[in-house]
Amino acid sequence: MSGGETVLDRARQSAGLSHGELYLRYFELGGMSSAFQVEAIVYDLAQPSPHDYDVLAHALNERFVELGGDHPVPYAPDPSGPGETPGSGYPSGVKG
Amino acid sequence: MTMADSAQHSTELASDLGEVARALFGAGDVSATLQAVVDLATISIEGCDFASVFVMDSPEPDRPIVTDPLVARVDALQRASGQGPCIDAERTGQPVYVDDLADDTRWPVFGAGASDSGIRCVLAYPLSRSGSFGVLSLSATYPGAFGATDRAKGVIFATLAELALTGAQTHEEEDRRAENLHQALVTRELIGRAEGILMERERITATQAFDILRRASQHLNIKLKQVAEDLVETGERPNTGPDGSAGTRRA
């Protein structure tokens, strides 16, 4: 079992979202995983697809924008390009 | 009082409280239930002239839960002085009874001010152990207005009020959750339609279509829902910014 704080969970806590609230936002954006699976992804206990990760990251980033911030959660690197954010948290190093 | 009188009295008391319970549980949302609590308290508890729900954390409530402006002023005095029976009830989680505020030495500032305003006798019941709904304050213009029966009835009344408020709060939370889920479903469908338009038009996968919407949302600094709505309404491809590599990710 993985331990320690993850990028996604740290972001979730900074954004002031409960697991249920994050799941609702993820679901709203079209996420297909269950609430249980999303929680496992957030805790780095399950590996999401790049798309699933991006939906979660965007759900968090929209919350940060609501709070007056930017898009601090990195998206998954594009396999055809160099990646959007240096040191992206996906797929390796999701754990913070 | 004979045994027959006593039995008659108990029957009437139970009947009264049954009516109170029905009215409290049928009041509706938390706000309406709070107002029903104070209104019914003055009707069902004989010595009670006025009632309010005292909340310490709300210095100047926009809509105080009171049966008369006089008790709103007395509650304000209690908050301003930082002392009084409701504050003690909230702090200890126990009911507090004041026979005569003019003679009571526990709260010298509040007691003098309240009795000058015409309030002499107070019964304060915390509405939940943590005081989350505040404190039910029953007051009277005469000292010693609440007899033993009134005080016993007050305990049962406050318990019924607390249960009714908890039920109303649970109901409100369920309504809020249902509304949030409904909104999420509407937005999800809208985003799905926008993705469908992009998929059909650009012959791309759903994942690639989401990428376009997501990049536009980030570039324009608006919610993805808004990007989807604009696309569905105008048919125009959203602006993903100078990095036009949207939709290149493999499905």
Side-chain angles (χ1 to χ4, degrees):
Chain A
M1 180 173 168
S2 190
E5 202 177 41
T6 65
V7 168
L8 289 176
D9 194 44
R10 194 161 56 230
R12 179 190 67 80
Q13 291 182 46
S14 298
L17 293 176
S18 67
H19 283 288
E21 288 165 340
L22 174 59
Y23 179 72
L24 193 65
R25 284 167 178 266
Y26 162 86
F27 175 80
E28 188 175 57
L29 293 177
M32 298 292 284
S33 296
S34 68
F36 181 74
Q37 287 169 322
V38 166
E39 199 166 330
I41 291 167
V42 166
Y43 286 131
D44 199 22
L45 299 170
Q47 182 72 16
S49 68
H51 172 66
D52 229 12
Y53 177 87
D54 278 351
V55 177
L56 259 180
H58 197 71
L60 286 162
N61 282 333
E62 284 202 342
R63 175 60 181 157
F64 281 113
V65 171
E66 286 171 8
L67 297 172
D70 200 348
H71 291 71
V73 183
Y75 294 100
D78 193 320
S80 65
E84 289 176 48
T85 308
S88 165
Y90 181 89
S92 61
V94 168
K95 201 184 296 179
Chain B
M1 185 184 282
T2 65
M3 282 184 67
D5 288 342
S6 177
Q8 174 68 20
H9 182 70
S10 297
T11 304
E12 285 172 4
L13 185 64
S15 175
D16 286 352
L17 288 169
E19 289 294 326
V20 164
R22 272 189 285 276
L24 287 178
F25 281 86
D29 60 15
V30 171
S31 177
T33 306
L34 283 166
Q35 192 59 50
V37 166
V38 292
D39 291 342
L40 286 165
T42 55
I43 295 167
S44 62
I45 297 174
E46 202 171 320
C48 181
D49 295 321
F50 310 109
S52 71
V53 174
F54 175 89
V55 181
M56 184 62 194
D57 293 337
S58 183
E60 292 295 334
D62 294 334
R63 291 182 59 200
I65 310 296
V66 296
T67 57
D68 191 284
L70 171 63
V71 278
R73 290 196 296 275
V74 171
D75 283 354
L77 174 63
Q78 197 164 178
R79 278 188 286 270
S81 64
Q83 56 178 244
C86 293
I87 291 174
D88 282 7
E90 189 168 49
R91 183 173 50 80
T92 63
Q94 297 296 320
V96 174
Y97 176 55
V98 194
D99 206 39
D100 188 355
L101 279 166
D103 291 341
D104 203 295
T105 57
R106 284 177 286 182
W107 316 286
V109 176
F110 169 73
S115 54
D116 284 350
S117 301
I119 299 296
R120 298 290 295 272
C121 186
V122 173
L123 262 174
Y125 298 99
L127 292 174
S128 86
R129 284 179 193 169
S130 61
S132 59
F133 292 115
V135 175
L136 174 61
S137 175
L138 311 178
S139 49
T141 53
Y142 292 100
F146 298 111
T149 303
D150 279 349
R151 278 180 269 170
K153 204 170 176 180
V155 171
I156 299 169
F157 184 91
T159 304
L160 289 173
E162 186 185 322
L163 291 170
L165 285 164
T166 302
Q169 189 176 50
T170 303
H171 194 69
E172 275 187 9
E173 284 166 5
E174 285 169 357
D175 283 352
R176 198 160 39 241
R177 271 198 294 272
E179 176 58 24
N180 287 343
L181 184 58
H182 174 73
Q183 282 302 321
L185 281 166
V186 169
T187 303
R188 185 183 167 95
E189 187 189 338
L190 177 73
I191 291 169
R193 286 171 64 194
E195 286 174 349
I197 291 170
L198 289 169
M199 288 165 69
E200 193 276 335
R201 188 184 294 166
E202 305 196 12
R203 299 199 174 280
I204 55 177
T205 65
T207 298
Q208 290 167 325
F210 177 82
D211 269 4
I212 292 174
L213 298 176
R214 193 263 298 167
R215 286 169 194 265
S217 163
Q218 193 176 4
H219 173 65
L220 301 169
N221 207 27
I222 58 175
K223 291 205 166 194
L224 194 141
K225 172 191 173 184
Q226 188 62 53
V227 176
E229 198 171 321
D230 292 346
L231 171 59
V232 169
E233 280 182 7
T234 67
E236 290 179 16
R237 191 186 196 280
N239 182 359
T240 54
D243 176 14
S245 59
T248 55
R249 175 168 293 145
R250 288 186 295 270

